[in-house]
Amino acid sequence: NMKKLTLVVCDVQPDVMKKLQNSQQFVDLVDLAVRAGRNSRRTTIEFNIVHTMIRFPESSYDCIPLLHPKLGILRKLQMNNSPINWFTSSELCIPAANPKEVVASRTTYLPHANDIKLLEALHYEESLDDRDFVVIGYGPTVQAVCHILGDVIGTPNVQILKECVRDENMERCQAFLDYGLMFKEEVTSLVDFIESMDLLHERLDDLPSAQQKNDQPPQKYVCDCDRGGHLSLFMFYLLRDHGYIQWPRQPWFQDITKNAGQQYWCPLGRRVVDLCDEPQFSSSTRFFLNGRQWLDEKDLLHQLVPELMPPTFHSLEEAQKYSISTLETCGPHIWFLKKVNQNGGRAVEVRHDLPTQPLESDEQLQAHIPRPLLFEKASLMDGNEVLRPHKCHVKTYQWIGCTKDDTTNKISWQLYMHDLYYLATADKPFDPKDISDPVQITTMRTHRLYDDTPWRVQWGLTEKCRTRMETVLRRAIEQGKLQSILPSSASEEQTVSKHEASNSKSALQFEINSADWMLDEDGNMYLIECNGIPVLYAPEIKQPLITRGLNLYDGLYKQNPKDAIVNDTDLLREAVGLAMTGKLPKKTLWKHIATIPCPS
């Protein structure tokens, strides 16, 4: 038997929607549900749509009781000859597409059991066998329709799509979904509904349009698909400062070649949104540089700028030759066996001798720099706090982005560096014979280095870091490793032109990158690694504390917010602003270092 499914769209009309927070997003979500129903691939379903709405005769509210708590004000305004036309238009935000879609209008605030137009539209006299209902729209009307379906018609199969129910009072709406279901209605997700229509893997924007076009500027959407970058931190500022609204996500595909089958996500409805960390679903700024692996992965970075890095080897044989020719008279030496695609001190093995087995394809060996410059830091010795030399490295933060000049129409790369540098120091004093992590691994930021900090001035860190970072970026661009030609996305011509019309100042792509630098006793500087997704801590975001560093920074901030060493709030907020608007505040620590033209 053919199953009958009726989608009831409740009061999705301009005069109701304008009362709701983020009303355009809500209409867009309802639009997805309607598109999915109209274009269902299920051949065993007979699909119908019923629209409900409040509508009065043109400027006539005579049927409203004067003391009506919701609509009485319309009658009073009419009696005072006030020019009003609320709820007199037949316009729906999502119009009926064909004569089979019934519009049941009424002159009461909510539908009720005597609403014969609605009852007929719902075919209340037909058998309930193989009949299901899905109800979406304005919260109070959804609740009233559910009561009619359950109490008057007696249908046992009613679903409510939670993303497609909204009220001007969101707490009241959530209370209805949690506690107000009187007739065993099922609250389900829009994702499940789309999947039930066999459309989860279709781009619903490509299906026939449901929405009524309007002259309002389009709502800006951002979708976090959990790619592991900084978007989860940027989101706070995009929503608060730049007018974006978060768009929900849905399963995209599962990579069964990886452990446990890694799940990938995309925007709900496979929609191309304004901002997304999955590039093919983003119409404007991309959050990952195209070619970023050449800055982030240690072996590729070494291929790019070998002269800036300590002696680094990609095979055991190369390291053995270096060891024999260079280190045999130097006493005990320190080697770092590293995974090339992991950062932050993870997957680093410190050792005095070389491995006996050949290196894996994702490993490299790096020699410790000779006579490293140490930093005098207080530590306990025999119960007393004394200054002792600790291993350290300098950490800098970069904004690397690709921008388009409005006048020349040319694309170029921009390098900014944050002028607050940091020292990351080891937990225990340095001892070349001790290869334990607390002595040899420096990951946590422990000291601030402002531009006038004596240690930073003494060793000329500002000029050294800036010139070397510019060398890295120039090399990557000139060799074509970083690509200004963006990966194409679906509906590219339409979405990019919309973006350029609305915000031509925003970056085409950008990342916040960090770099770790070590000095020797002569002031020679070595690049240890770059990290495309460095740990950043902004207490106002209330981010998950998923690393040792974040837990440390959070604890220190809570102890003393004013003097906490790590608080990346300004760094993050201004970096997002630079990417979205092309501007920085007058007082900022972000300094422009270089504009690098794209190769012709």
Side-chain angles (χ1 to χ4, degrees):
N1 293 333
M2 182 73 73
K3 184 176 182 179
K4 295 181 179 180
L5 178 63
T6 300
L7 177 67
V8 187
V9 185
C10 300
D11 296 0
V12 182
Q13 58 191 105
D15 285 341
V16 174
M17 293 299 100
K18 65 180 61 174
K19 301 189 297 182
L20 305 185
Q21 184 180 9
N22 299 334
S23 59
Q24 185 57 57
Q25 182 208 36
F26 178 63
V27 173
D28 286 344
L29 290 169
V30 172
D31 175 60
L32 281 186
V34 173
R35 286 183 195 235
R38 287 175 178 167
N39 297 279
S40 173
R41 301 282 191 260
R42 298 287 186 187
T43 58
T44 57
I45 294 178
E46 179 185 330
F47 192 85
N48 301 294
I49 297 181
V50 174
H51 304 264
T52 75
M53 69 181 306
I54 308 174
R55 188 186 177 198
F56 295 95
E58 188 68 29
S59 301
S60 176
Y61 304 107
D62 294 341
C63 60
I64 302 174
L66 273 173
L67 298 180
H68 192 290
K70 288 288 188 180
L71 302 176
I73 184 64
L74 299 177
R75 176 78 181 279
K76 294 174 184 176
L77 289 171
Q78 176 186 271
M79 294 173 66
N80 292 332
N81 295 317
S82 299
I84 56 172
N85 56 7
W86 277 74
F87 300 117
T88 60
S89 171
S90 62
E91 179 186 350
L92 292 168
C93 297
I94 301 174
N98 56 66
K100 291 184 179 180
E101 293 188 15
V102 179
V103 179
S105 61
R106 64 184 189 278
T107 56
T108 57
Y109 187 73
L110 295 175
H112 50 75
N114 296 325
D115 192 335
I116 193 64
K117 287 184 180 180
L118 180 58
L119 291 173
E120 289 177 348
L122 297 175
H123 301 285
Y124 72 103
E125 292 181 335
E126 292 184 10
S127 169
L128 295 177
D129 295 338
D130 296 319
R131 290 186 65 199
D132 289 350
F133 293 85
V134 177
V135 190
I136 60 177
Y138 178 55
T141 310
V142 167
Q143 187 173 14
V145 168
C146 285
H147 289 175
I148 291 172
L149 289 170
D151 199 23
V152 179
I153 298 178
T155 179
N157 302 315
V158 178
Q159 290 186 336
I160 301 169
L161 306 185
K162 59 185 176 183
E163 296 92 343
C164 296
V165 180
R166 194 164 297 184
D167 188 343
E168 60 266 49
N169 184 326
M170 292 305 294
E171 291 182 357
R172 179 176 66 192
C173 185
Q174 192 59 50
F176 158 60
L177 295 176
D178 290 341
Y179 310 110
L181 306 179
M182 303 290 291
F183 300 98
K184 297 184 179 180
E185 300 93 337
E186 178 187 1
V187 177
T188 187
S189 71
L190 181 52
V191 171
D192 289 340
F193 177 72
I194 293 172
E195 186 172 26
S196 72
M197 298 294 104
D198 201 17
L199 291 169
L200 191 61
H201 300 292
E202 298 283 342
R203 190 181 299 278
L204 295 187
D205 277 0
D206 294 340
L207 300 176
S209 178
Q211 278 197 67
Q212 179 75 38
K213 299 296 183 182
N214 58 63
D215 297 329
Q216 298 298 317
Q219 175 61 56
K220 298 187 295 185
Y221 292 125
V222 54
C223 183
D224 184 358
C225 292
D226 199 22
R227 280 299 302 271
H230 283 138
L231 180 54
S232 59
L233 301 182
F234 298 160
M235 186 74 72
F236 179 86
Y237 302 103
L238 292 169
L239 302 185
R240 189 190 70 180
D241 302 335
H242 299 282
Y244 285 86
I245 293 177
Q246 190 164 1
W247 186 257
R249 68 186 187 187
Q250 70 170 58
W252 184 18
F253 69 92
Q254 196 167 28
D255 188 348
I256 60 175
T257 66
K258 296 188 177 181
N259 292 337
Q262 182 173 341
Q263 178 68 62
Y264 288 85
W265 303 85
C266 68
L268 182 59
R270 297 170 70 95
R271 178 181 181 135
V272 176
V273 296
D274 301 88
L275 300 175
C276 183
D277 49 354
E278 283 291 355
Q280 51 269 67
F281 294 101
S282 182
S283 70
S284 54
T285 303
R286 312 291 177 92
F287 297 109
F288 293 107
L289 301 181
N290 190 13
R292 65 186 306 277
Q293 65 272 20
W294 286 91
L295 303 182
D296 192 49
E297 297 184 11
K298 299 179 183 68
D299 56 338
L300 299 180
L301 182 63
H302 182 256
Q303 291 181 41
L304 201 63
V305 286
E307 75 280 9
L308 298 184
M309 301 180 72
T312 303
F313 307 98
H314 307 289
S315 73
L316 182 58
E317 292 75 13
E318 292 174 342
Q320 288 171 336
K321 290 178 182 178
Y322 174 82
S323 179
I324 293 171
S325 63
T326 308
L327 303 177
E328 57 185 10
T329 60
C330 297
H333 195 73
I334 299 172
W335 290 94
F336 297 96
L337 179 62
K338 299 181 176 182
K339 294 288 187 182
V340 300
N341 55 1
Q342 297 184 37
N343 294 309
R346 295 169 295 173
V348 176
E349 180 185 346
V350 189
R351 49 193 305 147
H352 278 310
D353 55 348
L354 290 170
T356 57
Q357 299 296 321
L359 301 186
E360 299 290 339
S361 60
D362 63 344
E363 291 179 335
Q364 69 177 19
L365 279 162
Q366 194 170 76
H368 198 292
I369 68 171
R371 301 182 301 111
L373 181 64
L374 305 177
F375 183 77
E376 296 287 333
K377 187 175 87 168
S379 64
L380 289 176
M381 185 174 181
D382 299 328
N384 298 313
E385 195 173 80
V386 296
L387 290 176
R388 301 174 69 188
H390 288 65
K391 190 174 168 183
C392 64
H393 76 256
V394 176
K395 183 177 286 291
T396 61
Y397 291 90
Q398 292 72 233
W399 187 102
I400 300 173
C402 204
T403 60
K404 186 175 182 180
D405 187 279
D406 288 340
T407 304
T408 65
N409 216 33
K410 291 184 177 180
I411 296 175
S412 60
W413 290 87
Q414 307 296 331
L415 172 63
Y416 291 78
M417 292 186 70
H418 200 260
D419 212 29
L420 174 56
Y421 299 178
Y422 290 89
L423 264 186
T425 57
D427 294 338
K428 292 185 178 180
F430 182 67
D431 180 352
K433 297 179 181 180
D434 188 343
I435 58 173
S436 64
D437 284 0
V439 173
Q440 298 294 344
I441 302 297
T442 57
T443 56
M444 304 300 148
R445 291 179 274 172
T446 57
H447 298 77
R448 290 187 170 194
L449 298 175
Y450 292 100
D451 60 353
D452 59 352
T453 301
W455 202 87
R456 175 170 164 178
V457 173
Q458 177 186 355
W459 296 105
L461 298 184
T462 301
E463 182 64 22
K464 289 176 179 176
C465 291
R466 288 181 176 182
T467 56
R468 285 161 175 76
M469 196 65 230
E470 184 177 343
T471 296
V472 172
L473 188 58
R474 283 189 182 276
R475 189 83 52 86
I477 294 167
E478 290 167 359
Q479 292 186 9
K481 308 304 185 185
L482 285 179
Q483 294 284 330
S484 60
I485 301 174
L486 302 177
S488 61
S489 66
S491 307
E492 183 175 11
E493 292 183 5
Q494 174 188 354
T495 54
V496 171
S497 62
K498 179 185 75 173
H499 160 62
E500 289 181 347
S502 62
N503 188 7
S504 60
K505 298 294 185 182
S506 62
L508 301 175
Q509 51 180 326
F510 86 103
E511 283 187 6
I512 299 175
N513 163 294
S514 74
D516 295 343
W517 314 88
M518 286 191 73
L519 294 134
D520 65 17
E521 292 176 350
D522 299 321
N524 299 311
M525 177 172 275
Y526 300 85
L527 173 61
I528 304 302
E529 68 180 31
C530 290
N531 188 348
I533 312 175
V535 171
L536 296 170
Y537 171 71
E540 67 178 345
I541 296 178
K542 298 179 181 178
Q543 67 203 88
L545 306 177
I546 57 176
T547 69
R548 174 173 170 253
L550 285 172
N551 277 284
L552 174 65
Y553 302 151
D554 185 65
L556 293 174
Y557 177 83
K558 288 177 177 176
Q559 288 178 15
N560 189 347
K562 183 178 179 180
D563 297 324
I565 297 298
V566 177
N567 182 348
D568 298 314
T569 297
D570 291 342
L571 181 155
L572 272 166
R573 184 185 67 252
E574 294 169 7
V576 173
L578 177 60
M580 294 298 105
T581 68
K583 297 179 181 179
L584 287 166
K586 290 183 178 180
K587 292 184 178 180
T588 179
L589 290 175
W590 283 108
K591 306 300 179 185
H592 185 254
I593 306 303
T595 296
I596 306 173
C598 293
S600 56

